[in-house]
Amino acid sequence: MLPIFAEAQLSNTGKKTMIYPETKKENVKDTYFGTNVDDPYRWLEDDRSADTKQWVTAQNVVTQKYMSQIPYRNDIKERLKHLMNYEKYSQPFKEGGYTYYYKNTGLQNQSVLYRQKEGGEPEVFLDPNTFSKDATTSLAGISFSKDGSLLAYQLSEGGSDWTKVIVMKSSDKTVVGETITDVKFSGISWQGNDGFYYSSYDKPAEGSQLSGLTQYHKLFYHKLGTAQKEDQLIFGGDKTPRRYISAGLTEDERYLIISAANSTSGNELYIKDLKAKDAEIIPIVSNFDKNHNIIDNDGSKLFIYTNLNAANGRVVTVDAGSPGVENWKDLIKETENVLSPSTGGGKLFANYIKDAVSMVLQYDRNGKLEHEIKLPGIGSASGFGSKQSEKELYYTFTSYVYPATIFRYAIETGKSEVYKKSGVDFDPANYESKQVFYASKDGTKVPMIITYKKGIVLNGKNPTVLYGYGGFDVSLTPSFSTANIILMDQGGIYAVANLRGGGEYGEKWHLAGTKLQKQNVFDDFIAAGEYLIDNKYTSKDYLASMGGSNGGLLVGATLAQRPDLFKVAFPAVGVMDMLRYHKFTAGAGWSYDYGTSEDSKEMFDYLYKYSPVHALKAGTKYPATLVTTADHDDRVVPAHSFKFAANLQKDQAGDAPVLISIQTNAGHGAGKPTDKAIEEIADRWAFLFYNMGITYKK
């Protein structure tokens, strides 16, 4: 049995000495290409065992006791409540004569879906706060039939990626048919009012339902009024095993579009003409080399986004009767900037990333440029989607100093007007955000945006958070965070580095941070920290690293490689065991970015060297570290964080605390209730200030 009691005690020297729960070791070894690797904490991978549950409880006791000793923890929490207590809205969308939108009155745990008719009063349509007593059941997705009369919505319980689908009539909210269960990584695509397509995996037959391997996706068609067990398998399964399968219909519901992939990058593309009798599913692209998706159609004319022969992306057209790559014709050609296209009102919108910020152009259906959307500043614009018949659409603009604001956009004139302004208590005029470019270890220029309150003195003593991700073609573009007001109002600095492995500069930038080049990502992050120190933004005593998921891996790896660089580290829901990540849930799909320990001796050696669980060294002084994860995280299973925290506690030679906070009834992050988010953020800032020796000023 593991002892529950543990605490921070004062040693004879007056320094705090952490006493952690005992983490038992077992004699577990694996052999990779002749190398024996110890895995003494393998038992923590079993999330169902009594020992693991007791370890979690014991660690949470230590963490909460430590946090409760920080005198200003509650002050930060109350300040956060004040800052977050304002009305928040989503972009509105129209379905079946109603305008729908999400609204949060301020501190509601889950945002509520409202609707209203033109000239009518808003009414609550779906309130996820009523789905469970503790508000941990969230709305994970909604989809209306084309006429708006039917709605399918997905529920996530405790933050899990596994969802349930409930169908109801939008007129009176009566439920139609049975609840569809065991759905994962899926949208809902209606075909008329008869039924819809969805994707899922077979649930693990043995072992944990949360951490068990989910190997092959299946696309089903569910006909309303029938039992789920009668659902028709459309694609996937034994004949076409694929790890990820998604489906959608063109707006006119003529074509079924299927995308299939085995990793997080590169996909096959298929199409089926639903109006042709006995039509087959035919391939458009039958390899996984590049990314493609159909974004619209005019009859048989298809509009396709692709990065084939265009690393930064382009839009092509082709006739559905002969859709092969050899027949593609450029409509919007590749540029030096990375393209993300969308459609609305019969137009095409080219949303470009230029040095990690947005630039949006409007084209007609023939590829003629009509407008450049005048954005209110340098930042991120998102949205630009609507039905073909609409005359207007909505988009959101934000930056690190510009709270998210919704704009109404007139498609014909290209004019924007504010629709909903943020109500947050924040004056952008008092803050500054600037972009710099710094040299990484190999000389590559990397962009970073640094944000702080005007008037601070750059004397190396400013508490600074360096945030990064660096993977999976994900672009970190500027966005406002209420949480960061706490940091900046204490004279702090928030810096975001656009590392290789991301998508800010297209496919080449992404590939430069994958597999045997993954070290570039860590080098970019370390160089960012050194730039901030060299330019007096901060110093080693006031620099913190922060990242989640793949960014948690980033924090863990750089902590191991450069423990001297950071005072504090915040690895959240991180991928920490690089030798075994592919053995849990859908982790095998990440191999395009990471490679696996079974690929080759070269790949094993490379992963083993930087894997956070394995790269730590006993007798090293590591930064104060607050690891965060959740018991229902079935994306990056919590065992990663468990094993990392256990190893770091064992190897820590310094006085800095190594804590792990494990949220219960929570997952990878989506759908997290507001109260849980406030607790997590308050603990983060309290931990940061306390370990930097900074007194929080109310």
Side-chain angles (χ1 to χ4, degrees), residues 28 95 102 146 166 174 295 317 435 506 519 534-535 542 593:
V28 178
E95 302 287 353
Y102 292 93
K146 186 176 181 180
I166 298 172
T174 56
I295 60 173
T317 59
Q435 186 174 59
Q519 184 60 40
D534 292 344
N535 288 274
Y542 297 97
D593 259 53

Side-chain angles (χ1 to χ4, degrees), residues 289-292 306-314 316 325-326 328 330 333-335 507:
D289 295 342
K290 302 293 180 179
N291 300 314
H292 331 269
T306 182
N307 66 349
L308 176 65
N309 300 323
N312 292 335
R314 59 180 173 141
V316 300
V325 170
E326 67 278 6
W328 290 3
D330 278 355
K333 293 185 177 182
E334 180 189 19
T335 72
E507 186 181 34

Side-chain angles (χ1 to χ4, degrees), residues 165-185:
V165 179
I166 298 172
V167 180
M168 69 182 193
K169 295 179 181 177
S170 59
S171 58
D172 58 9
K173 305 181 190 177
T174 56
V175 174
V176 178
E178 67 176 44
T179 297
I180 307 300
T181 60
D182 298 338
V183 177
K184 189 171 186 178
F185 296 157

Side-chain angles (χ1 to χ4, degrees), residues 292-463:
H292 331 269
N293 65 285
I294 297 174
I295 60 173
D296 212 345
N297 73 304
D298 284 337
S300 64
K301 182 181 180 181
L302 305 177
F303 296 80
I304 301 175
Y305 163 80
T306 182
N307 66 349
L308 176 65
N309 300 323
N312 292 335
R314 59 180 173 141
V315 175
V316 300
T317 59
V318 71
D319 190 271
S322 50
V325 170
E326 67 278 6
N327 297 318
W328 290 3
K329 296 180 180 178
D330 278 355
L331 185 75
I332 300 176
K333 293 185 177 182
E334 180 189 19
T335 72
E336 62 183 3
N337 301 313
V338 179
L339 170 65
S340 295
S342 58
T343 61
K347 308 295 182 180
L348 284 81
F349 293 88
N351 196 333
Y352 290 102
I353 297 177
K354 185 176 183 179
D355 290 333
V357 298
S358 292
M359 177 181 70
V360 186
L361 305 178
Q362 177 181 316
Y363 291 87
D364 70 9
R365 310 289 276 191
N366 297 313
K368 178 185 176 183
L369 177 63
E370 294 184 332
H371 305 293
E372 177 176 351
I373 286 76
K374 294 181 180 179
L375 302 175
I378 296 173
S380 305
S382 60
F384 299 101
S386 72
K387 295 180 173 63
Q388 283 200 27
S389 59
E390 299 292 342
K391 302 298 183 185
E392 62 184 20
L393 53 75
Y394 299 86
Y395 68 89
T396 299
F397 181 83
T398 183
S399 77
Y400 295 117
V401 294
Y402 195 106
T405 301
I406 302 172
F407 289 84
R408 180 191 284 118
Y409 177 76
I411 296 171
E412 187 62 33
T413 64
K415 303 294 184 183
S416 300
E417 64 179 16
V418 173
Y419 174 74
K420 289 289 184 186
K421 190 175 181 180
S422 173
V424 66
D425 181 13
F426 177 84
D427 184 355
N430 295 330
Y431 300 82
E432 182 176 351
S433 192
K434 67 177 184 179
Q435 186 174 59
V436 299
F437 292 82
Y438 64 91
S440 189
K441 183 178 181 179
D442 62 359
T444 299
K445 293 294 183 183
V446 181
M448 175 166 57
I449 297 181
I450 307 169
T451 308
Y452 48 86
K453 199 167 188 177
K454 291 179 179 177
I456 67 168
V457 179
L458 300 183
N459 58 6
K461 295 184 178 180
N462 301 296

Side-chain angles (χ1 to χ4, degrees), residues 66 89 117 119 140 149-150 161 186 244 262 273 282 333 382 457 471 481 492 514 524:
Y66 180 94
Y89 292 85
K117 284 193 171 180
S149 65
L150 292 168
D161 284 332
S186 177
Y244 306 111
N262 281 328
D273 189 342
I282 61 171
K333 293 185 177 182
S382 60
V457 179
S481 169
T514 61
D524 290 355

Side-chain angles (χ1 to χ4, degrees), residues 77-94:
K77 184 176 177 180
E78 291 306 310
R79 175 64 173 154
L80 274 170
K81 285 183 178 179
H82 167 75
L83 289 170
M84 296 179 72
N85 192 12
Y86 66 94
E87 289 186 337
K88 307 167 190 71
Y89 292 85
S90 74
Q91 296 174 21
F93 56 96
K94 296 178 181 179

Side-chain angles (χ1 to χ4, degrees), residues 59-77:
Q59 291 286 349
N60 275 339
V61 168
V62 174
T63 299
Q64 289 310 309
K65 188 160 188 176
Y66 180 94
M67 298 306 301
S68 68
Q69 296 174 8
I70 301 177
Y72 40 76
R73 178 195 191 192
N74 285 335
D75 291 338
I76 295 174
K77 184 176 177 180

